[in-house]
Amino acid sequence: MCEIMLKNIKICFLIFIITILSFISGYIVGVSQPMYSENPIIQYFKNPKPFSVENVNIPITYYGTIKGKYIGYQITPHNVNEEARKCFYKYFKLKDKDPEEAEKYLRRGLFLTEYLISQSEKETVNLNGKNIIFIIWRYNFDFPEYNLSKGWAGSLCQAGCMKTLYLAYKCTGDKRYLILAKEALNAFIVPVEKGGLLKIRVKDNKTYYWYPEYASKNPPYVLNGFITSVIWIGEFANETNDKEAYLLYKEGLKSIKSFLSEYDAGDWSYYDALKHRCNEHYEHLQRLQMLYLYNITKDKIFLKHYNKWKE
């Protein structure tokens, strides 16, 4: 009887030891779950363990001191989405020539995209009796240049993140990215006063849509960021046939044409509606934007300003 009891105790102890070892092994190795259940591409991501540290590079922007306030180093969604897009473009360029190298760029682009998703805020607002779900990226530091407090958002960053999500969808076929890109677009139909990125400007008793690069109650109405946002919204409309995107694009073009004269400084251009003259970098950029808009619209008002503004 004692021998049977002793044997049972040994068996229970052995089971206990195996269970403990399995738990420890599972904790060390981590549990891998495919992110793209219906996607044939290689599964790059694992469900991370809490408090894990990833050995990766994320773009960091140094702002230094602005108007007496030290901003220092910041991880900004704008520069992260820019880096992600560069990776996706490299992937498209190399996927047939050098699949192995292309895969590295795809992996990095998707990692940065996932980081952006983790930093977005999902919000719901009621507009005309309809609930609008949108995601938005906000900056976690003050920006004294335009008296913006922590939590501000902007159209250039938003449109860049939207474009990044769409490129991730094109690379992978994962519709989750496409859904999120649409939710990013929705921020442009939500007024700034309700947490979105739509501002109504008035000129000659007419109203116009404006998507401010630096969103606030009284934004500076920076020109180049608005133009880029409108262009990227138009690209999204063409790629997806999204009616809302088409409307936002057309309204944006209408605003650019209507307010363009207010950014005309003769043979130079203004950076914002506060009449800050562009430095050489932004003068060159805005001139190229005029040429690009002329090429896609054939509207001579853009060609006129391209020829008028100097390098």
Side-chain angles (χ1 to χ4, degrees):
M1 184 69 173
C2 291
E3 289 181 359
I4 294 174
M5 290 180 64
L6 183 61
K7 186 177 181 180
N8 288 338
I9 291 172
K10 287 181 178 179
I11 291 173
C12 290
F13 181 75
L14 182 61
I15 293 173
F16 175 76
I17 292 297
I18 291 173
T19 302
I20 292 296
L21 290 176
S22 298
F23 175 80
I24 293 173
S25 175
Y27 181 79
I28 292 174
V29 174
V31 180
S32 176
Q33 295 289 339
M35 178 164 289
Y36 312 106
S37 58
E38 298 179 0
N39 197 339
I41 70 166
I42 297 173
Q43 311 302 312
Y44 293 117
F45 297 101
K46 294 180 178 179
N47 284 342
K49 300 186 297 292
F51 312 113
S52 64
V53 177
E54 299 289 341
N55 183 24
V56 295
N57 295 319
I58 290 183
I60 297 178
T61 307
Y62 181 66
Y63 285 86
T65 300
I66 300 176
K67 290 191 172 181
K69 184 176 180 63
Y70 180 69
I71 308 299
Y73 291 96
Q74 301 289 337
I75 299 177
T76 66
H78 172 67
N79 287 333
V80 173
N81 75 57
E82 182 178 41
E83 177 68 14
R85 292 198 309 276
K86 289 178 181 178
C87 290
F88 291 138
Y89 292 142
K90 282 283 190 179
Y91 166 74
F92 288 130
K93 184 177 181 179
L94 296 172
K95 66 177 182 176
D96 295 325
K97 299 177 182 177
D98 190 344
E100 185 175 342
E101 188 68 14
E103 186 180 296
K104 294 177 184 178
Y105 283 107
L106 177 58
R107 184 183 300 114
R108 176 159 169 73
L110 292 175
F111 170 81
L112 293 172
T113 302
E114 291 297 327
Y115 172 80
L116 287 170
I117 293 170
S118 74
Q119 299 302 301
S120 66
E121 297 181 10
K122 179 166 286 194
E123 302 181 17
T124 303
V125 64
N126 188 278
L127 294 179
N128 302 318
K130 182 180 179 181
N131 286 331
I132 305 297
I133 298 173
F134 67 100
I135 57 173
I136 194 166
W137 287 264
R138 303 191 186 279
Y139 289 78
N140 63 355
F141 56 90
D142 297 341
F143 192 63
E145 184 68 32
Y146 289 123
N147 299 316
L148 297 170
S149 299
K150 179 180 178 180
W152 60 278
S155 64
L156 183 59
C157 171
Q158 185 78 11
C161 289
M162 178 189 70
K163 185 169 184 175
T164 297
L165 287 164
Y166 183 73
L167 288 173
Y169 164 69
K170 286 191 71 174
C171 288
T172 66
D174 189 335
K175 290 185 178 180
R176 181 173 67 102
Y177 292 129
L178 182 60
I179 292 169
L180 289 169
K182 171 60 178 175
E183 291 180 352
L185 176 76
N186 286 345
F188 293 102
I189 67 176
V190 177
V192 169
E193 292 76 12
K194 291 182 176 290
L197 290 168
L198 172 62
K199 196 71 182 176
I200 301 298
R201 293 187 75 175
V202 180
K203 183 177 181 180
D204 299 329
N205 295 320
K206 295 180 180 179
T207 58
Y208 298 90
Y209 282 21
W210 194 281
Y211 321 124
E213 182 177 352
Y214 300 95
S216 65
K217 183 179 179 180
N218 297 300
Y221 296 112
V222 172
L223 180 61
N224 78 86
F226 176 57
I227 291 176
T228 299
S229 300
V230 171
I231 290 171
W232 286 347
I233 290 171
E235 289 178 357
F236 185 77
N238 288 330
E239 291 283 345
T240 64
N241 291 318
D242 187 282
K243 293 181 180 179
E244 199 72 60
Y246 274 123
L247 172 65
L248 292 168
Y249 171 64
K250 291 178 180 177
E251 290 294 329
L253 281 180
K254 188 189 303 182
S255 294
I256 295 170
K257 290 171 59 177
S258 297
F259 287 94
L260 199 53
S261 62
E262 297 187 14
Y263 295 88
D264 189 352
D267 62 351
W268 206 256
S269 65
Y270 292 120
Y271 178 79
D272 55 27
L274 303 177
K275 303 300 183 182
H276 292 121
R277 286 174 66 89
C278 285
N279 60 26
E280 290 186 2
H281 168 75
Y282 284 108
E283 176 68 10
H284 178 67
L285 173 59
Q286 292 187 172
R287 190 165 182 264
L288 290 180
Q289 287 178 326
M290 293 298 102
L291 182 60
Y292 183 85
L293 289 173
Y294 170 70
N295 286 333
I296 63 175
T297 67
K298 301 306 178 184
D299 193 315
K300 292 185 178 180
I301 189 173
F302 300 122
L303 184 62
K304 171 187 173 183
H305 283 85
Y306 169 76
N307 291 324
K308 189 177 184 182
W309 295 343
K310 304 296 183 182
E311 289 286 359

